[in-house]
Amino acid sequence: MDRSVQLTTDRQILALRPTKTIYEKKITGSRGLSIRVLPSSTKQFEFRYTSRQGARRRLALGIYPDLSLAEARLKAAGVRVAVADGHDPVAERQAARTKALRIETLDSLAEDYWAAAEVGLHGGRRKPKRAVTINNERSVWRNHITSVFGARDFSGIKRAEIKEFMRSLVVDKKLSPASVASIGGVLHAVLGFAVMEERLEANPAVGLARPLALTSRERMFDDAQLKVLWTAAGDASLPRSPGEKTAGVHARLEPAMGLAIQLLMLTLTRRNEVAGALKAEFDLEAGLWTIPSARAKAAHRHVVPLSPESLEVLEAAFALDPRSPFVFPSDRVEDQHLDPHAITRAFARTCARRKIETGSPHDVRRSGATTLTGRYGVTRFIIGLVLGHTPNEGAAVTGVYDRHTYIPEKRAALETWARHLTGAPAAAGTKSPASATEPADSDLAQTKARARMSAEQGELQNAVLVMCMGAARRSDGGNVHLDILAQAGMELASKGAKDRVLGWIDGF
């Protein structure tokens, strides 16, 4: 057959005969349209085109005679218009086929969620999540969720399955209410992201993330237990002797871990803040540790005054690896800092070996705050500053002032705590933090005058803050009472009640 002859009719197409090889003939009057004849006698209409990116494409339109010549012409004309509009039908068809074959697993959804969380597009408060938060969520996912649901198509996961999964965490794994809530919270957040992205109609985890009521953490270390922990950390901080065992029930903690625990106990800071501490954050001459907002909880800078005992610990810690930017470098991963979770495990291991009730690093913060308030008269306001709390966590006005304010009071509190922790005697002439910061009546009068001046100028909230911060320096007012007064003052200020704010100030 003369293959140079172009086709115009169905009769000509019917007359085409197969050969041992594939051949192709153009359809006259329809640019890009042709028919391929296979050795099997199959005749297929195809449309050739070049995409805007310059790629040459071959698009199969249908099999003759199921698709007639007239229908093929119409279909080719439609594709020609789509290509002119910038479409690439072959690429689009391939993408659709790939998507149809690919199951959208819960693991892949979680990866999309964390990628969005890095830039704040995951929902919630629409703020980027910190790397440490994402890493913690990944750890929870890896340890508890992926083995159960990770490979599943997330659109097929039912509420009954999630309910049974959450129940198993309590009944089978015996996890605490807080741990169960943490796992459920991550699962709920990832599925909620799918709803926000319109990839899921409804979140099947709603109402199931917290099967148990959370209870307030009350574990505290008494003085004897604090001494045991402090001694164990001190023993571990010493350099290892040649041939010393590093494994087994009687082995000491690593020196970096011992020093990290000592700094955590002395400063009442969080485990993440201690584990990731950078040497550049410390001003040893001024005796200050400035934890940047990127690392501190609630994303606000936290300034920690350093007691003499803390400075001694830091001197030893800096010498562990002079080249490392971290105060506590990891002994397992090069160029990384100490694992925060390892600090928690070290606490649990020490408690088990020394036969005391298991506690956590956070329990030290609670113990220190309670001791300073109940036995040394430090106000809750100052305790809130020492712990780096936000307004929702501590005193009503804790987070609204310059973070460098009250450094002397914070330093006095932490030095008192260091002496209590180590058993060192108080320096001659040293006053308690309460008495050292208590102003005379004339100081209170001056504070009231400044507050009234701000109120008269219409700066009602600033007036309340001035009065609260002044009153917080006194030791004769109840901590809870001051919190209640602060909240009441802020409510009056937010309503613009100038006369009532003035009356509130005069009430001090």
mmCIF file with all atom_site columns, all heavy atoms in Angstrom, residues 76-98:
data_model
loop_
_atom_site.group_PDB
_atom_site.id
_atom_site.type_symbol
_atom_site.label_atom_id
_atom_site.label_alt_id
_atom_site.label_comp_id
_atom_site.label_asym_id
_atom_site.label_entity_id
_atom_site.label_seq_id
_atom_site.pdbx_PDB_ins_code
_atom_site.Cartn_x
_atom_site.Cartn_y
_atom_site.Cartn_z
_atom_site.occupancy
_atom_site.B_iso_or_equiv
_atom_site.pdbx_formal_charge
_atom_site.auth_seq_id
_atom_site.auth_comp_id
_atom_site.auth_asym_id
_atom_site.auth_atom_id
_atom_site.pdbx_PDB_model_num
ATOM 1   N N   . ALA A 1 76 ? -9.876  15.818 18.087 1.00 0.00 ? 76 ALA A N   1
ATOM 2   C CA  . ALA A 1 76 ? -8.590  16.454 17.809 1.00 0.00 ? 76 ALA A CA  1
ATOM 3   C C   . ALA A 1 76 ? -8.708  17.969 17.840 1.00 0.00 ? 76 ALA A C   1
ATOM 4   O O   . ALA A 1 76 ? -7.807  18.675 18.323 1.00 0.00 ? 76 ALA A O   1
ATOM 5   C CB  . ALA A 1 76 ? -8.055  15.986 16.464 1.00 0.00 ? 76 ALA A CB  1
ATOM 6   N N   . ALA A 1 77 ? -9.827  18.480 17.320 1.00 0.00 ? 77 ALA A N   1
ATOM 7   C CA  . ALA A 1 77 ? -10.030 19.930 17.332 1.00 0.00 ? 77 ALA A CA  1
ATOM 8   C C   . ALA A 1 77 ? -10.104 20.455 18.766 1.00 0.00 ? 77 ALA A C   1
ATOM 9   O O   . ALA A 1 77 ? -9.553  21.514 19.091 1.00 0.00 ? 77 ALA A O   1
ATOM 10  C CB  . ALA A 1 77 ? -11.308 20.275 16.573 1.00 0.00 ? 77 ALA A CB  1
ATOM 11  N N   . GLY A 1 78 ? -10.763 19.714 19.666 1.00 0.00 ? 78 GLY A N   1
ATOM 12  C CA  . GLY A 1 78 ? -10.854 20.126 21.060 1.00 0.00 ? 78 GLY A CA  1
ATOM 13  C C   . GLY A 1 78 ? -9.500  20.125 21.742 1.00 0.00 ? 78 GLY A C   1
ATOM 14  O O   . GLY A 1 78 ? -9.162  21.035 22.510 1.00 0.00 ? 78 GLY A O   1
ATOM 15  N N   . VAL A 1 79 ? -8.688  19.096 21.452 1.00 0.00 ? 79 VAL A N   1
ATOM 16  C CA  . VAL A 1 79 ? -7.357  19.028 22.042 1.00 0.00 ? 79 VAL A CA  1
ATOM 17  C C   . VAL A 1 79 ? -6.492  20.166 21.514 1.00 0.00 ? 79 VAL A C   1
ATOM 18  O O   . VAL A 1 79 ? -5.705  20.776 22.245 1.00 0.00 ? 79 VAL A O   1
ATOM 19  C CB  . VAL A 1 79 ? -6.697  17.668 21.737 1.00 0.00 ? 79 VAL A CB  1
ATOM 20  C CG1 . VAL A 1 79 ? -5.260  17.647 22.249 1.00 0.00 ? 79 VAL A CG1 1
ATOM 21  C CG2 . VAL A 1 79 ? -7.488  16.533 22.374 1.00 0.00 ? 79 VAL A CG2 1
ATOM 22  N N   . ARG A 1 80 ? -6.646  20.485 20.227 1.00 0.00 ? 80 ARG A N   1
ATOM 23  C CA  . ARG A 1 80 ? -5.863  21.563 19.618 1.00 0.00 ? 80 ARG A CA  1
ATOM 24  C C   . ARG A 1 80 ? -6.134  22.898 20.327 1.00 0.00 ? 80 ARG A C   1
ATOM 25  O O   . ARG A 1 80 ? -5.209  23.677 20.594 1.00 0.00 ? 80 ARG A O   1
ATOM 26  C CB  . ARG A 1 80 ? -6.190  21.671 18.135 1.00 0.00 ? 80 ARG A CB  1
ATOM 27  C CG  . ARG A 1 80 ? -5.198  22.486 17.330 1.00 0.00 ? 80 ARG A CG  1
ATOM 28  C CD  . ARG A 1 80 ? -5.571  22.486 15.850 1.00 0.00 ? 80 ARG A CD  1
ATOM 29  N NE  . ARG A 1 80 ? -5.504  21.147 15.281 1.00 0.00 ? 80 ARG A NE  1
ATOM 30  C CZ  . ARG A 1 80 ? -6.566  20.473 14.833 1.00 0.00 ? 80 ARG A CZ  1
ATOM 31  N NH1 . ARG A 1 80 ? -7.771  21.013 14.900 1.00 0.00 ? 80 ARG A NH1 1
ATOM 32  N NH2 . ARG A 1 80 ? -6.420  19.273 14.313 1.00 0.00 ? 80 ARG A NH2 1
ATOM 33  N N   . VAL A 1 81 ? -7.409  23.147 20.654 1.00 0.00 ? 81 VAL A N   1
ATOM 34  C CA  . VAL A 1 81 ? -7.772  24.377 21.376 1.00 0.00 ? 81 VAL A CA  1
ATOM 35  C C   . VAL A 1 81 ? -7.154  24.371 22.779 1.00 0.00 ? 81 VAL A C   1
ATOM 36  O O   . VAL A 1 81 ? -6.623  25.384 23.257 1.00 0.00 ? 81 VAL A O   1
ATOM 37  C CB  . VAL A 1 81 ? -9.299  24.521 21.463 1.00 0.00 ? 81 VAL A CB  1
ATOM 38  C CG1 . VAL A 1 81 ? -9.683  25.676 22.387 1.00 0.00 ? 81 VAL A CG1 1
ATOM 39  C CG2 . VAL A 1 81 ? -9.888  24.735 20.073 1.00 0.00 ? 81 VAL A CG2 1
ATOM 40  N N   . ALA A 1 82 ? -7.210  23.218 23.462 1.00 0.00 ? 82 ALA A N   1
ATOM 41  C CA  . ALA A 1 82 ? -6.655  23.119 24.822 1.00 0.00 ? 82 ALA A CA  1
ATOM 42  C C   . ALA A 1 82 ? -5.154  23.383 24.823 1.00 0.00 ? 82 ALA A C   1
ATOM 43  O O   . ALA A 1 82 ? -4.615  24.080 25.695 1.00 0.00 ? 82 ALA A O   1
ATOM 44  C CB  . ALA A 1 82 ? -6.945  21.739 25.413 1.00 0.00 ? 82 ALA A CB  1
ATOM 45  N N   . VAL A 1 83 ? -4.448  22.846 23.818 1.00 0.00 ? 83 VAL A N   1
ATOM 46  C CA  . VAL A 1 83 ? -3.007  23.069 23.725 1.00 0.00 ? 83 VAL A CA  1
ATOM 47  C C   . VAL A 1 83 ? -2.707  24.538 23.489 1.00 0.00 ? 83 VAL A C   1
ATOM 48  O O   . VAL A 1 83 ? -1.773  25.114 24.058 1.00 0.00 ? 83 VAL A O   1
ATOM 49  C CB  . VAL A 1 83 ? -2.396  22.198 22.610 1.00 0.00 ? 83 VAL A CB  1
ATOM 50  C CG1 . VAL A 1 83 ? -0.939  22.579 22.361 1.00 0.00 ? 83 VAL A CG1 1
ATOM 51  C CG2 . VAL A 1 83 ? -2.507  20.724 22.973 1.00 0.00 ? 83 VAL A CG2 1
ATOM 52  N N   . ALA A 1 84 ? -3.535  25.178 22.636 1.00 0.00 ? 84 ALA A N   1
ATOM 53  C CA  . ALA A 1 84 ? -3.343  26.607 22.376 1.00 0.00 ? 84 ALA A CA  1
ATOM 54  C C   . ALA A 1 84 ? -3.550  27.433 23.644 1.00 0.00 ? 84 ALA A C   1
ATOM 55  O O   . ALA A 1 84 ? -2.936  28.495 23.816 1.00 0.00 ? 84 ALA A O   1
ATOM 56  C CB  . ALA A 1 84 ? -4.304  27.071 21.284 1.00 0.00 ? 84 ALA A CB  1
ATOM 57  N N   . ASP A 1 85 ? -4.394  26.942 24.564 1.00 0.00 ? 85 ASP A N   1
ATOM 58  C CA  . ASP A 1 85 ? -4.636  27.640 25.829 1.00 0.00 ? 85 ASP A CA  1
ATOM 59  C C   . ASP A 1 85 ? -3.576  27.347 26.880 1.00 0.00 ? 85 ASP A C   1
ATOM 60  O O   . ASP A 1 85 ? -3.660  27.848 28.005 1.00 0.00 ? 85 ASP A O   1
ATOM 61  C CB  . ASP A 1 85 ? -6.016  27.257 26.384 1.00 0.00 ? 85 ASP A CB  1
ATOM 62  C CG  . ASP A 1 85 ? -7.152  27.847 25.564 1.00 0.00 ? 85 ASP A CG  1
ATOM 63  O OD1 . ASP A 1 85 ? -6.894  28.822 24.852 1.00 0.00 ? 85 ASP A OD1 1
ATOM 64  O OD2 . ASP A 1 85 ? -8.283  27.326 25.651 1.00 0.00 ? 85 ASP A OD2 1
ATOM 65  N N   . GLY A 1 86 ? -2.584  26.537 26.530 1.00 0.00 ? 86 GLY A N   1
ATOM 66  C CA  . GLY A 1 86 ? -1.499  26.275 27.469 1.00 0.00 ? 86 GLY A CA  1
ATOM 67  C C   . GLY A 1 86 ? -1.555  24.942 28.169 1.00 0.00 ? 86 GLY A C   1
ATOM 68  O O   . GLY A 1 86 ? -0.704  24.637 29.012 1.00 0.00 ? 86 GLY A O   1
ATOM 69  N N   . HIS A 1 87 ? -2.546  24.120 27.865 1.00 0.00 ? 87 HIS A N   1
ATOM 70  C CA  . HIS A 1 87 ? -2.651  22.811 28.504 1.00 0.00 ? 87 HIS A CA  1
ATOM 71  C C   . HIS A 1 87 ? -1.698  21.815 27.849 1.00 0.00 ? 87 HIS A C   1
ATOM 72  O O   . HIS A 1 87 ? -1.281  21.988 26.698 1.00 0.00 ? 87 HIS A O   1
ATOM 73  C CB  . HIS A 1 87 ? -4.088  22.286 28.414 1.00 0.00 ? 87 HIS A CB  1
ATOM 74  C CG  . HIS A 1 87 ? -5.059  23.062 29.253 1.00 0.00 ? 87 HIS A CG  1
ATOM 75  N ND1 . HIS A 1 87 ? -5.220  22.834 30.597 1.00 0.00 ? 87 HIS A ND1 1
ATOM 76  C CD2 . HIS A 1 87 ? -5.892  24.080 28.927 1.00 0.00 ? 87 HIS A CD2 1
ATOM 77  C CE1 . HIS A 1 87 ? -6.130  23.677 31.073 1.00 0.00 ? 87 HIS A CE1 1
ATOM 78  N NE2 . HIS A 1 87 ? -6.556  24.444 30.073 1.00 0.00 ? 87 HIS A NE2 1
ATOM 79  N N   . ASP A 1 88 ? -1.396  20.767 28.615 1.00 0.00 ? 88 ASP A N   1
ATOM 80  C CA  . ASP A 1 88 ? -0.560  19.669 28.128 1.00 0.00 ? 88 ASP A CA  1
ATOM 81  C C   . ASP A 1 88 ? -1.306  18.377 28.448 1.00 0.00 ? 88 ASP A C   1
ATOM 82  O O   . ASP A 1 88 ? -1.093  17.755 29.498 1.00 0.00 ? 88 ASP A O   1
ATOM 83  C CB  . ASP A 1 88 ? 0.813   19.697 28.809 1.00 0.00 ? 88 ASP A CB  1
ATOM 84  C CG  . ASP A 1 88 ? 1.782   18.692 28.197 1.00 0.00 ? 88 ASP A CG  1
ATOM 85  O OD1 . ASP A 1 88 ? 1.336   17.837 27.419 1.00 0.00 ? 88 ASP A OD1 1
ATOM 86  O OD2 . ASP A 1 88 ? 2.987   18.771 28.503 1.00 0.00 ? 88 ASP A OD2 1
ATOM 87  N N   . PRO A 1 89 ? -2.234  17.953 27.570 1.00 0.00 ? 89 PRO A N   1
ATOM 88  C CA  . PRO A 1 89 ? -3.103  16.811 27.890 1.00 0.00 ? 89 PRO A CA  1
ATOM 89  C C   . PRO A 1 89 ? -2.362  15.533 28.262 1.00 0.00 ? 89 PRO A C   1
ATOM 90  O O   . PRO A 1 89 ? -2.809  14.795 29.144 1.00 0.00 ? 89 PRO A O   1
ATOM 91  C CB  . PRO A 1 89 ? -3.906  16.628 26.591 1.00 0.00 ? 89 PRO A CB  1
ATOM 92  C CG  . PRO A 1 89 ? -3.896  17.976 25.951 1.00 0.00 ? 89 PRO A CG  1
ATOM 93  C CD  . PRO A 1 89 ? -2.560  18.559 26.270 1.00 0.00 ? 89 PRO A CD  1
ATOM 94  N N   . VAL A 1 90 ? -1.234  15.245 27.604 1.00 0.00 ? 90 VAL A N   1
ATOM 95  C CA  . VAL A 1 90 ? -0.492  14.023 27.926 1.00 0.00 ? 90 VAL A CA  1
ATOM 96  C C   . VAL A 1 90 ? 0.046   14.085 29.353 1.00 0.00 ? 90 VAL A C   1
ATOM 97  O O   . VAL A 1 90 ? -0.108  13.136 30.134 1.00 0.00 ? 90 VAL A O   1
ATOM 98  C CB  . VAL A 1 90 ? 0.654   13.808 26.918 1.00 0.00 ? 90 VAL A CB  1
ATOM 99  C CG1 . VAL A 1 90 ? 1.556   12.666 27.382 1.00 0.00 ? 90 VAL A CG1 1
ATOM 100 C CG2 . VAL A 1 90 ? 0.099   13.513 25.531 1.00 0.00 ? 90 VAL A CG2 1
ATOM 101 N N   . ALA A 1 91 ? 0.670   15.217 29.721 1.00 0.00 ? 91 ALA A N   1
ATOM 102 C CA  . ALA A 1 91 ? 1.213   15.370 31.078 1.00 0.00 ? 91 ALA A CA  1
ATOM 103 C C   . ALA A 1 91 ? 0.098   15.334 32.116 1.00 0.00 ? 91 ALA A C   1
ATOM 104 O O   . ALA A 1 91 ? 0.250   14.732 33.189 1.00 0.00 ? 91 ALA A O   1
ATOM 105 C CB  . ALA A 1 91 ? 2.000   16.667 31.182 1.00 0.00 ? 91 ALA A CB  1
ATOM 106 N N   . GLU A 1 92 ? -1.027  15.959 31.798 1.00 0.00 ? 92 GLU A N   1
ATOM 107 C CA  . GLU A 1 92 ? -2.149  15.975 32.742 1.00 0.00 ? 92 GLU A CA  1
ATOM 108 C C   . GLU A 1 92 ? -2.734  14.585 32.928 1.00 0.00 ? 92 GLU A C   1
ATOM 109 O O   . GLU A 1 92 ? -3.115  14.199 34.038 1.00 0.00 ? 92 GLU A O   1
ATOM 110 C CB  . GLU A 1 92 ? -3.218  16.954 32.243 1.00 0.00 ? 92 GLU A CB  1
ATOM 111 C CG  . GLU A 1 92 ? -2.760  18.409 32.294 1.00 0.00 ? 92 GLU A CG  1
ATOM 112 C CD  . GLU A 1 92 ? -3.698  19.341 31.540 1.00 0.00 ? 92 GLU A CD  1
ATOM 113 O OE1 . GLU A 1 92 ? -4.744  18.853 31.037 1.00 0.00 ? 92 GLU A OE1 1
ATOM 114 O OE2 . GLU A 1 92 ? -3.394  20.540 31.445 1.00 0.00 ? 92 GLU A OE2 1
ATOM 115 N N   . ARG A 1 93 ? -2.795  13.827 31.837 1.00 0.00 ? 93 ARG A N   1
ATOM 116 C CA  . ARG A 1 93 ? -3.317  12.459 31.935 1.00 0.00 ? 93 ARG A CA  1
ATOM 117 C C   . ARG A 1 93 ? -2.373  11.592 32.762 1.00 0.00 ? 93 ARG A C   1
ATOM 118 O O   . ARG A 1 93 ? -2.819  10.776 33.584 1.00 0.00 ? 93 ARG A O   1
ATOM 119 C CB  . ARG A 1 93 ? -3.497  11.877 30.529 1.00 0.00 ? 93 ARG A CB  1
ATOM 120 C CG  . ARG A 1 93 ? -4.076  10.473 30.521 1.00 0.00 ? 93 ARG A CG  1
ATOM 121 C CD  . ARG A 1 93 ? -4.269  9.981  29.093 1.00 0.00 ? 93 ARG A CD  1
ATOM 122 N NE  . ARG A 1 93 ? -5.320  10.723 28.393 1.00 0.00 ? 93 ARG A NE  1
ATOM 123 C CZ  . ARG A 1 93 ? -5.729  10.440 27.147 1.00 0.00 ? 93 ARG A CZ  1
ATOM 124 N NH1 . ARG A 1 93 ? -5.147  9.441  26.479 1.00 0.00 ? 93 ARG A NH1 1
ATOM 125 N NH2 . ARG A 1 93 ? -6.669  11.138 26.572 1.00 0.00 ? 93 ARG A NH2 1
ATOM 126 N N   . GLN A 1 94 ? -1.069  11.768 32.560 1.00 0.00 ? 94 GLN A N   1
ATOM 127 C CA  . GLN A 1 94 ? -0.099  10.994 33.339 1.00 0.00 ? 94 GLN A CA  1
ATOM 128 C C   . GLN A 1 94 ? -0.179  11.328 34.828 1.00 0.00 ? 94 GLN A C   1
ATOM 129 O O   . GLN A 1 94 ? -0.098  10.446 35.679 1.00 0.00 ? 94 GLN A O   1
ATOM 130 C CB  . GLN A 1 94 ? 1.317   11.260 32.814 1.00 0.00 ? 94 GLN A CB  1
ATOM 131 C CG  . GLN A 1 94 ? 1.578   10.677 31.429 1.00 0.00 ? 94 GLN A CG  1
ATOM 132 C CD  . GLN A 1 94 ? 2.921   11.104 30.864 1.00 0.00 ? 94 GLN A CD  1
ATOM 133 O OE1 . GLN A 1 94 ? 3.546   12.050 31.374 1.00 0.00 ? 94 GLN A OE1 1
ATOM 134 N NE2 . GLN A 1 94 ? 3.385   10.432 29.820 1.00 0.00 ? 94 GLN A NE2 1
ATOM 135 N N   . ALA A 1 95 ? -0.334  12.626 35.126 1.00 0.00 ? 95 ALA A N   1
ATOM 136 C CA  . ALA A 1 95 ? -0.439  13.039 36.528 1.00 0.00 ? 95 ALA A CA  1
ATOM 137 C C   . ALA A 1 95 ? -1.683  12.464 37.184 1.00 0.00 ? 95 ALA A C   1
ATOM 138 O O   . ALA A 1 95 ? -1.650  12.012 38.335 1.00 0.00 ? 95 ALA A O   1
ATOM 139 C CB  . ALA A 1 95 ? -0.455  14.563 36.618 1.00 0.00 ? 95 ALA A CB  1
ATOM 140 N N   . ALA A 1 96 ? -2.804  12.476 36.447 1.00 0.00 ? 96 ALA A N   1
ATOM 141 C CA  . ALA A 1 96 ? -4.045  11.933 36.988 1.00 0.00 ? 96 ALA A CA  1
ATOM 142 C C   . ALA A 1 96 ? -3.923  10.432 37.225 1.00 0.00 ? 96 ALA A C   1
ATOM 143 O O   . ALA A 1 96 ? -4.407  9.904  38.224 1.00 0.00 ? 96 ALA A O   1
ATOM 144 C CB  . ALA A 1 96 ? -5.198  12.227 36.028 1.00 0.00 ? 96 ALA A CB  1
ATOM 145 N N   . ARG A 1 97 ? -3.226  9.734  36.286 1.00 0.00 ? 97 ARG A N   1
ATOM 146 C CA  . ARG A 1 97 ? -3.047  8.295  36.440 1.00 0.00 ? 97 ARG A CA  1
ATOM 147 C C   . ARG A 1 97 ? -2.174  7.981  37.655 1.00 0.00 ? 97 ARG A C   1
ATOM 148 O O   . ARG A 1 97 ? -2.455  7.065  38.424 1.00 0.00 ? 97 ARG A O   1
ATOM 149 C CB  . ARG A 1 97 ? -2.417  7.714  35.174 1.00 0.00 ? 97 ARG A CB  1
ATOM 150 C CG  . ARG A 1 97 ? -2.345  6.187  35.189 1.00 0.00 ? 97 ARG A CG  1
ATOM 151 C CD  . ARG A 1 97 ? -1.674  5.649  33.932 1.00 0.00 ? 97 ARG A CD  1
ATOM 152 N NE  . ARG A 1 97 ? -2.462  5.985  32.749 1.00 0.00 ? 97 ARG A NE  1
ATOM 153 C CZ  . ARG A 1 97 ? -2.056  6.809  31.785 1.00 0.00 ? 97 ARG A CZ  1
ATOM 154 N NH1 . ARG A 1 97 ? -0.865  7.396  31.873 1.00 0.00 ? 97 ARG A NH1 1
ATOM 155 N NH2 . ARG A 1 97 ? -2.802  7.043  30.734 1.00 0.00 ? 97 ARG A NH2 1
ATOM 156 N N   . THR A 1 98 ? -1.114  8.792  37.821 1.00 0.00 ? 98 THR A N   1
ATOM 157 C CA  . THR A 1 98 ? -0.218  8.588  38.971 1.00 0.00 ? 98 THR A CA  1
ATOM 158 C C   . THR A 1 98 ? -0.953  8.824  40.283 1.00 0.00 ? 98 THR A C   1
ATOM 159 O O   . THR A 1 98 ? -0.795  8.066  41.250 1.00 0.00 ? 98 THR A O   1
ATOM 160 C CB  . THR A 1 98 ? 0.992   9.534  38.874 1.00 0.00 ? 98 THR A CB  1
ATOM 161 O OG1 . THR A 1 98 ? 1.686   9.280  37.667 1.00 0.00 ? 98 THR A OG1 1
ATOM 162 C CG2 . THR A 1 98 ? 1.919   9.342  40.061 1.00 0.00 ? 98 THR A CG2 1
#
